[in-house]
């Protein structure tokens, strides 16, 4: 593919996001990132599928964002990742961190744990489920870190912080909490807790009550609270 053709490829991202991020899509680093991804796809299986890379943005337009949950990497197992942090596609067994998210949701709001790990219904209500890195090689965690995605997603966080008011950022774990430096704390709310991973969930993620706290903060702003309940699905793929 010629350089000019690569530069002119418009990302398959929802239009309101394209408009606020247009400058970063035109930046040299993003061109290098596109070249990197084109080469990776020739040699490896990449997750999530190409049409799902910007799914978090496509399900949660810029003007609809009310809550931001930050993750790090997409899942790298077959059929799991679909562009939303912590979420897996329907029919896939929820991974351990997501199971712990459901446990805390149950303890916090009395919502029974779901066997459906697809969090798209949260995204459609204004919860931006943003990973810091948006792609990964199959079975190689962290393989697309420091290739440009972090510059892009840091720009997303800074743009949200600058152009919106009263967002609620849920920062779980040290990696996500480091992003608090990008957020104007005088205009937004930040809720911190340990990561929901089995390695750290018992150190304070359980009992953080972030789901009820988020809804209280939304209600104080006269915004509609999030319905965190997910429909259960059958026929899980182990």
């Amino acid at each position: 593919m010629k350089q000019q053709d690569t530069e002119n490829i418009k990302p398959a991202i929802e239009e309101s996001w394209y408009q606020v991020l247009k400058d970063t899509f035109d930046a040299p680093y993003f061109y290098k990132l596109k070249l990197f991804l084109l080469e990776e796809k020739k040699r490896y299986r990449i997750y999530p599928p190409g049409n799902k890379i910007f799914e978090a943005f496509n399900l949660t337009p810029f003007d609809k964002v009310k809550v931001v949950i930050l993750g790090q990497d997409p899942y790298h197992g077959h059929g799991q990742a679909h562009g939303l942090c912590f979420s897996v596609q329907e029919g896939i067994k929820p991974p351990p961190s997501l199971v712990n998210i459901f446990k805390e949701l149950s303890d916090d709001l009395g919502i029974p744990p779901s066997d459906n790990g697809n969090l798209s219904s949260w995204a459609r209500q204004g919860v931006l489920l943003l990973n810091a890195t948006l792609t990964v090689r199959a079975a190689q965690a962290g393989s697309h870190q420091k290739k440009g995605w972090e510059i892009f997603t840091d720009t997303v966080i800074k743009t949200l912080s600058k152009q919106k008011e009263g967002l609620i950022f849920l920062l779980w774990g040290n990696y996500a909490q480091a992003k608090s430096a990008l957020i104007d704390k005088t205009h937004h709310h930040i809720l911190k807790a340990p990561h929901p991973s089995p390695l750290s969930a018992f150190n304070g993620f359980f009992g953080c009550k972030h789901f009820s706290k988020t809804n209280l903060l939304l209600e104080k702003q006269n915004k509609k609270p999030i319905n965190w309940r997910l429909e259960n699905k059958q026929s899980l793929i182990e």
Side-chain angles (χ1 to χ4, degrees):
M1 184 176 289
K2 296 179 180 178
Q3 175 173 334
Q4 186 175 3
D5 293 337
T6 303
E7 289 175 338
N8 291 336
I9 295 175
K10 181 178 177 180
I13 194 170
E14 191 270 336
E15 184 63 21
S16 66
W17 280 107
Y18 179 74
Q19 292 303 323
V20 297
L21 298 173
K22 194 173 186 302
D23 287 346
T24 201
F25 288 130
D26 293 334
Y29 89 86
F30 201 82
Y31 168 66
K32 292 179 182 178
L33 174 59
K34 287 190 286 188
L35 287 182
F36 167 75
L37 291 174
L38 288 171
E39 289 302 313
E40 285 286 286
K41 289 178 181 178
K42 292 177 183 177
R43 302 172 60 193
Y44 305 101
R45 183 182 296 275
I46 303 303
Y47 297 132
N51 65 344
K52 297 292 186 181
I53 290 174
F54 293 109
E55 186 77 345
F57 304 90
N58 295 335
L59 293 183
T60 314
F62 183 78
D63 62 339
K64 302 295 185 184
V65 179
K66 299 190 291 188
V67 180
V68 182
I69 298 178
L70 293 179
Q72 188 168 357
D73 253 17
Y75 296 119
H76 53 82
H78 176 68
Q80 291 181 306
H82 65 123
L84 307 178
C85 73
F86 294 107
S87 180
V88 291
Q89 299 189 72
E90 290 181 10
I92 299 295
K93 183 178 180 180
S97 290
L98 185 53
V99 169
N100 286 339
I101 289 171
F102 290 158
K103 286 180 181 177
E104 174 58 23
L105 188 56
S106 178
D107 291 342
D108 186 8
L109 292 173
I111 295 173
S114 177
D115 60 20
N116 169 29
N118 189 325
L119 307 181
S120 295
S121 67
W122 296 3
R124 293 189 180 96
Q125 295 176 75
V127 181
L128 182 67
L129 296 163
L130 181 65
N131 274 318
T133 303
L134 299 190
T135 56
V136 68
R137 287 181 198 164
Q140 295 188 46
S143 49
H144 285 187
Q145 291 178 4
K146 299 181 181 180
K147 302 298 183 181
W149 277 130
E150 294 90 343
I151 301 173
F152 173 73
T153 52
D154 282 358
T155 300
V156 169
I157 295 168
K158 288 185 283 189
T159 301
L160 286 166
S161 177
K162 183 177 180 179
Q163 297 192 25
K164 296 183 74 71
E165 290 280 341
L167 297 181
I168 302 157
F169 289 85
L170 306 186
L171 307 183
W172 298 336
N174 293 334
Y175 185 89
Q177 289 169 21
K179 303 295 184 179
S180 64
L182 308 174
I183 302 164
D184 185 344
K185 300 164 189 65
T186 65
H187 291 272
H188 303 284
H189 306 278
I190 297 176
L191 301 180
K192 296 181 179 181
H195 195 276
S197 161
L199 298 175
S200 55
F202 286 96
N203 293 329
F205 178 78
F206 291 139
C208 70
K209 298 189 180 300
H210 278 187
F211 303 102
S212 59
K213 289 177 180 177
T214 293
N215 281 350
L216 285 173
L217 288 168
L218 290 172
E219 289 170 343
K220 286 181 179 179
Q221 299 179 66
N222 295 315
K223 295 178 181 178
K224 187 176 181 180
I226 305 300
N227 177 8
W228 300 104
R229 186 181 298 272
L230 299 171
E231 291 184 11
N232 280 309
K233 303 291 182 180
Q234 302 299 321
S235 301
L236 289 179
I237 300 170
E238 295 295 336

